[in-house]
Amino acid sequence: MSALYRLKGLEYSYLWNGKQVPVLKGIDLELEKGCFTCIVGPSGTGKTTLLNLLGLIDTPSNGHLEFAGEDVTHLPESEKENVRLHKVGFIFQSFYLIPTLTVLENTSYFLPSLGYNHANAQKVAMETLDLLGLADHAKKKPLELSGGQRQRVAIARAIAKKPAVVLADEPTANLDSVTAEKTINAFKELQKSENTSFIFSTHDSHLVSFAKSVYRMKDGMIDNTKNQEAK
């Protein structure tokens, strides 16, 4: 199977009080297309930063980043936006739902930019909401929902456009065990039907148990790799 990501010596730091603060300290990693991968480790080790680099939200300070066979280390912002729109789905801890839009409108938000007409965008969004058990909430606004329901809307928005990869930061953190199980099954179904790659930052041991590859981060570096058979 061909590589989705190749990272070589990837570093990231930020400026604080006139000094560079290192976050990632030289990541070497290769992730295959169709992967179901978890990145684990204590808070503050750089997991979210790594996802932001993979999603071309942040730019590496040093090193090399390749996505789908293309060097994307220093792409212009306009080209990054195009990659993010067409190929990457994000699930953020903070949801970033638009409060004035309905659940259905939030879910279908990116689809017109991908060439969907209104009817098809609504159809795909409703199918995605139904997959996540949210079809009955389609006309509600985000503030009318619980935290777990809002998390699922954020998930629906990410997967509705059927991206090449979904990057998810603690996607099951706000979900009860039954809902988390259904959500993980939805991820696995999309992985199987669309060959979508999933890369999670997580503390959820249950989600980790479904992963084929688990990478542990410590002090801004990959500490070790554990391979396991996915369920």
Side-chain angles (χ1 to χ4, degrees):
M1 190 175 291
S2 58
L4 178 70
Y5 285 103
R6 287 192 177 97
L7 288 62
K8 184 67 175 176
L10 206 67
E11 298 180 4
Y12 182 81
S13 61
Y14 63 91
L15 191 64
W16 179 256
N17 287 337
K19 295 182 179 180
Q20 289 292 332
V21 179
V23 181
L24 300 182
K25 304 172 184 177
I27 303 291
D28 295 321
L29 187 62
E30 186 168 309
L31 299 168
E32 294 181 343
K33 292 180 180 178
C35 65
F36 204 84
T37 295
C38 285
I39 302 169
V40 301
S43 298
T45 57
K47 301 188 302 295
T48 298
T49 298
L50 180 56
L51 289 187
N52 286 343
L53 291 176
L54 295 179
L56 310 187
I57 294 174
D58 292 330
T59 300
S61 303
N62 287 295
H64 176 81
L65 174 62
E66 185 179 299
F67 174 59
E70 179 184 1
D71 184 350
V72 295
T73 312
H74 298 292
L75 277 183
E77 184 57 35
S78 60
E79 293 184 34
K80 286 184 178 181
E81 289 178 1
N82 188 57
V83 172
R84 290 194 296 262
L85 174 63
H86 289 88
K87 297 183 179 181
V88 183
F90 294 96
I91 302 170
F92 300 102
Q93 287 192 60
S94 300
F95 311 146
Y96 294 118
L97 301 175
I98 300 172
T100 56
L101 300 183
T102 66
V103 166
L104 182 62
E105 289 166 338
N106 269 282
T107 302
S108 64
Y109 185 78
F110 294 109
L111 299 183
S113 299
L114 296 173
Y116 288 79
N117 62 34
H118 179 75
N120 284 337
Q122 298 275 297
K123 179 176 181 291
V124 170
M126 279 301 299
E127 289 173 349
T128 308
L129 290 171
D130 186 53
L131 181 66
L132 293 167
L134 289 167
D136 291 342
H137 301 287
K139 294 182 180 180
K140 293 181 179 179
K141 301 287 180 65
L143 293 179
E144 299 177 78
L145 306 177
S146 68
Q149 289 168 335
R150 276 179 273 172
Q151 177 72 298
R152 281 185 284 157
V153 176
I155 291 169
R157 180 183 57 191
I159 67 177
K161 62 180 185 176
K162 295 181 174 59
V165 60
V166 172
L167 303 171
D169 198 1
E170 300 287 358
T172 57
N174 295 289
L175 307 180
D176 61 70
S177 59
V178 173
T179 305
E181 183 84 17
K182 291 179 180 178
T183 302
I184 294 168
N185 287 336
F187 291 153
K188 295 294 290 185
E189 182 175 326
L190 191 61
Q191 181 205 26
K192 182 178 180 180
S193 63
E194 303 290 336
N195 198 35
T196 305
S197 304
F198 286 87
I199 303 170
F200 308 99
S201 165
T202 186
H203 291 96
D204 183 354
S205 59
H206 187 58
L207 175 57
V208 170
S209 73
F210 283 81
K212 184 66 179 290
S213 297
V214 180
Y215 296 89
R216 183 170 299 278
M217 291 196 69
K218 181 179 180 181
D219 299 328
M221 301 181 70
I222 298 292
D223 184 38
N224 70 308
T225 304
K226 175 184 176 185
N227 292 304
Q228 58 192 43
E229 288 300 318
K231 290 184 179 180

